[in-house]
Amino acid sequence: MKKVIPVHHYYVIKNIFGVADTNIKFIEKEFGVEVLVNKDSIEIDGLGKNFKKACALIEFLIDTYRNENATLEKIKEHVAYFHGNIHAASDIKISLGKKVVHPRTTTQLKYLKAIAHKDIVFAIGPAGTGKTYLSVAMAVNALASGRVQRLILTRPAVEAGESLGYLPGGISEKLYPYLRPLYDALYEMMEFSKVEEYAEKGIIEIAPLAYMRGRTLSHAFIILDEAQNCTTKQLKMFITRLGSGSKMVITADATQTDLPGGQPVGLLETIKILKPIKEVGFIHLTSQDVIRHELVKKIIRAYDAFYKEA
């Protein structure tokens, strides 16, 4: 079997192959394939499941190492993960009509696998690691495939230095800035008119966390974003809304809480409480998983180093 994977920039091939092709030789040995390089493509020759795994891995590496060099240590980590978990290229793609979303790091792969296999998943990590983006992609895919009947996206409306009462407009206008990131993610996955149509029909609901109280959320894909701004009571209220046929994803950046007056971060206590439950997934993303500008990775690392020294 052969597969040709196009590569638009030759420097990406250099980033992947490593010094004296060390990285690609390791991949060839591990998967029993032959990898040939042309000016604008990589050709893979092999057989069976290992061939499919090698193809999926190299597609993943092309996306991941566009702007940095892959070390042999990282290649070994990726190879180990693909050996154990990935059986076909389709396992690492989220199909959204014409748009296809790929995870870009090993931890993002683990994140998608956790969502696929567990009904409640916590994703904790810094900005830019794809926590919300990937969860919304999985939600839209689940809705399109009929696995759920509706999407519910929510955030706590924490007043980070501003009072809602002083903001202009009615309640919808006051809350919109808090919910805007969820709309932004949806509009990337779906046509604007479709989002509006589904919102009118109640198939998509984007609302503040307080609106979840007293409800049972069945046959739905539910995302709670910015959970670091929740108290323990709020998180308990939210998680216990889970109904039959539903999935829940809770995303958070524990370093960026806006809770007033030094109030304890409910997220940390909730993780401790739920950790013994095997059916609940916990994914911890780091600066290595940032998929925004390369400078964002450096900024996050600088903050981490500063607070460790303090």
Side-chain angles (χ1 to χ4, degrees):
M1 299 173 70
K2 287 188 178 181
K3 181 170 183 176
V4 177
I5 301 173
V7 181
H8 298 297
H9 299 287
Y10 186 75
Y11 67 81
V12 176
I13 295 175
K14 291 174 65 178
N15 290 351
I16 294 169
F17 275 52
V19 178
D21 295 345
T22 305
N23 297 346
I24 217 69
K25 287 176 182 176
F26 180 77
I27 290 171
E28 287 179 319
K29 181 180 177 182
E30 287 293 309
F31 291 104
V33 297
E34 185 179 2
V35 181
L36 303 173
V37 62
N38 301 308
K39 186 176 180 181
D40 56 358
S41 66
I42 295 174
E43 183 179 309
I44 306 163
D45 192 352
L47 294 170
K49 289 183 178 180
N50 276 352
F51 168 74
K52 292 181 179 180
K53 290 178 183 180
C55 292
L57 170 60
I58 289 174
E59 288 179 328
F60 167 74
L61 294 175
I62 289 168
D63 279 339
T64 303
Y65 293 100
R66 291 183 182 278
N67 299 308
E68 61 180 301
N69 293 320
T71 64
L72 182 57
E73 289 73 20
K74 276 291 177 187
I75 292 293
K76 287 180 178 179
E77 179 186 333
H78 299 320
V79 165
Y81 185 81
F82 275 72
H83 256 317
N85 297 281
I86 303 300
H87 302 290
S90 60
D91 290 335
I92 61 163
K93 295 178 181 178
I94 308 169
S95 179
L96 305 169
K98 294 181 180 179
K99 186 180 179 67
V100 177
V101 174
H102 298 264
R104 299 292 184 87
T105 71
T106 303
T107 309
Q108 288 185 351
L109 283 168
K110 293 176 182 176
Y111 182 28
L112 297 188
K113 185 186 177 191
I115 294 173
H117 291 92
K118 295 180 183 289
D119 289 339
I120 298 179
V121 175
F122 285 78
I124 303 103
T129 51
K131 302 185 302 294
T132 303
Y133 186 82
L134 289 174
S135 65
V136 172
M138 290 288 277
V140 171
N141 180 264
L143 181 65
S145 63
R147 295 195 303 276
V148 297
Q149 297 173 4
R150 56 186 175 145
L151 308 186
I152 300 172
L153 292 78
T154 184
R155 276 181 152 204
V158 173
E159 301 179 16
E162 292 184 327
S163 172
L164 287 175
Y166 288 100
L167 294 176
I171 187 65
S172 297
E173 288 79 11
K174 292 175 190 291
L175 291 168
Y176 183 74
Y178 293 101
L179 304 175
R180 176 63 186 267
L182 297 174
Y183 281 103
D184 288 345
L186 264 182
Y187 290 144
E188 279 203 45
M189 316 287 176
M190 303 174 68
E191 293 181 4
F192 181 89
S193 59
K194 183 63 72 174
V195 174
E196 297 302 302
E197 176 192 341
Y198 281 1
E200 286 181 12
K201 293 179 177 178
I203 297 171
I204 292 177
E205 179 182 351
I206 303 178
L209 180 60
Y211 287 33
M212 302 299 115
R213 191 175 299 278
R215 302 169 62 184
T216 300
L217 308 174
S218 301
H219 306 291
F221 198 118
I222 312 139
I223 299 170
L224 169 58
D225 198 32
E226 300 288 346
Q228 73 275 3
N229 289 328
C230 295
T231 64
T232 303
K233 286 183 178 180
Q234 285 176 317
L235 279 169
K236 180 183 177 184
M237 177 277 292
F238 174 75
I239 294 166
T240 54
R241 301 306 95 204
L242 185 71
S244 61
S246 289
K247 281 188 180 289
M248 241 178 213
V249 179
I250 298 102
T251 71
D253 178 355
T255 67
Q256 293 195 21
T257 179
D258 293 319
L259 287 169
Q263 199 169 342
V265 179
L267 173 75
L268 303 179
E269 189 172 19
T270 301
I271 290 173
K272 288 181 182 178
I273 293 168
L274 300 182
K275 198 72 174 176
I277 303 176
K278 293 180 181 179
E279 292 82 359
V280 178
F282 298 92
I283 301 295
H284 295 272
L285 299 114
T286 69
S287 59
Q288 295 292 328
D289 301 298
V290 171
I291 54 173
R292 293 179 182 171
H293 195 288
E294 274 296 298
L295 185 56
V296 176
K297 287 186 180 181
K298 294 181 180 180
I299 291 169
I300 290 170
R301 288 170 190 159
Y303 271 98
D304 288 343
F306 177 82
Y307 287 113
K308 281 180 182 177
E309 293 173 2

